[in-house]
């Protein structure tokens, strides 16, 4: 597969990321609001930020991601920084919500629909991550690789939400949800910093 085809594949993956996460975000926020679950509402917000990252990738590859010149490298650097900022935005939200839940003792509620959303995400996100990572390696695109890491972080969030809901329901261990969220926030800050301070990004 030549560079042009890999670039088109990257664009298709980015469109899928935006579409899937918008649907997931709307469903999660709606179900979370109905169930009074802050965890599910937060998961929905995670999906919206993930769709923003996918939008950055759409901009990057529609601008000509298969070329390898100074202009493409400049666009790559800019896209990588924008993806990094989405990491920070998501990490800040997750951290604030987790600390608030710990401080107030607010317990996430179980919801069959919410559990189903988290399970579907745990199936879709690893497949999407692998596809993005492989495409990023073929293109030498660090911005797409950073976006793939954000997809992986979304998978971690799905696991955390699911674990929090199940542990709270089965064992009454409500602290599991904010504890996992704090760990994810730390990871997001780390990945965001790495994306923004990366050096040369054109892997031609």
């Amino acid at each position: 597969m030549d560079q042009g085809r890999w670039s088109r594949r990257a664009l298709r993956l980015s469109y899928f990321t935006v579409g899937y996460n918008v649907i997931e975000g709307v469903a999660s926020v709606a179900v979370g609001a109905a169930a009074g679950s802050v965890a599910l509402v937060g998961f929905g917000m995670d999906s919206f930020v993930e769709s923003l990252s996918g939008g950055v990738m759409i901009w990057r590859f529609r601008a000509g991601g298969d070329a390898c010149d100074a202009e493409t490298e400049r666009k790559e650097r800019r896209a990588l920084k924008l993806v990094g900022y989405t990491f920070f935005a998501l990490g800040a939200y997750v951290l604030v919500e987790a600390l608030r839940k710990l401080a107030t003792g607010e317990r996430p509620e179980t919801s069959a629909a919410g559990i189903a959303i988290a399970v579907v995400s745990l199936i879709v996100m690893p497949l999407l991550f692998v596809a993005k990572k492989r495409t990023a390696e073929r293109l030498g695109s660090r911005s797409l690789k950073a976006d793939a890491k954000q997809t992986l972080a979304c998978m971690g969030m799905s696991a955390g939400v699911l674990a929090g809901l199940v542990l709270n329901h089965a064992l009454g261990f409500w602290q599991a949800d904010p504890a996992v969220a704090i760990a994810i926030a730390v990871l997001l800050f780390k990945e965001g910093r790495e994306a923004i301070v990366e050096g040369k990004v054109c892997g031609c």
Side-chain angles (χ1 to χ4, degrees):
M1 189 182 293
D2 59 28
Q3 288 292 92
R5 289 184 179 179
W6 281 110
S7 292
R8 288 191 290 274
R9 184 184 184 190
L11 188 58
R12 288 194 298 271
L13 288 171
S14 299
Y15 276 121
F16 177 82
T17 296
V18 172
Y20 175 83
N21 280 285
V22 167
I23 294 172
E24 181 182 74
V26 171
S28 298
V29 170
V31 171
S37 172
V38 177
L40 283 174
V41 172
F43 181 62
M45 295 303 297
D46 166 38
S47 299
F48 291 136
V49 176
E50 177 75 3
S51 69
L52 173 61
S53 177
V56 172
M57 291 298 97
I58 290 174
W59 163 80
R60 187 252 185 265
F61 287 103
R62 282 181 63 87
D66 56 332
C68 183
D69 51 26
E71 178 64 14
T72 298
E73 184 173 346
R74 184 188 66 80
K75 291 175 181 176
E76 179 85 353
R77 287 179 180 274
R78 184 178 178 186
L80 188 60
K81 286 185 177 182
L82 289 173
V83 170
Y85 293 138
T86 66
F87 274 115
F88 278 110
L90 176 56
Y93 175 81
V94 171
L95 181 60
V96 169
E97 282 298 296
L99 293 176
R100 185 184 67 80
K101 288 170 65 177
L102 283 173
T104 61
E106 182 176 347
R107 299 189 177 201
E109 297 183 9
T110 57
S111 165
I115 291 175
I117 291 171
V119 169
V120 170
S121 181
L122 282 173
I123 295 172
V124 173
M125 289 300 146
L127 298 175
L128 187 58
F129 165 73
V130 171
K132 285 182 178 181
K133 185 173 183 293
R134 183 186 179 199
T135 304
E137 290 172 349
R138 292 287 184 173
L139 290 172
S141 172
R142 291 191 180 181
S143 61
L144 184 59
K145 186 176 291 186
D147 185 59
K149 287 182 179 180
Q150 185 150 321
T151 299
L152 191 63
C154 184
M155 183 184 71
M157 174 68 77
S158 303
V161 169
L162 182 60
L165 291 172
V166 172
L167 287 174
N168 180 48
H169 177 72
L171 304 176
F173 184 45
W174 65 270
Q175 295 91 343
D177 181 80
V180 171
I182 290 173
I184 292 173
V186 172
L187 174 64
L188 291 172
F189 288 136
K190 176 179 178 295
E191 297 295 351
R193 180 182 178 280
E194 289 180 356
I196 291 173
V197 302
E198 279 287 349
K200 186 176 180 180
V201 294
C202 187
C204 305

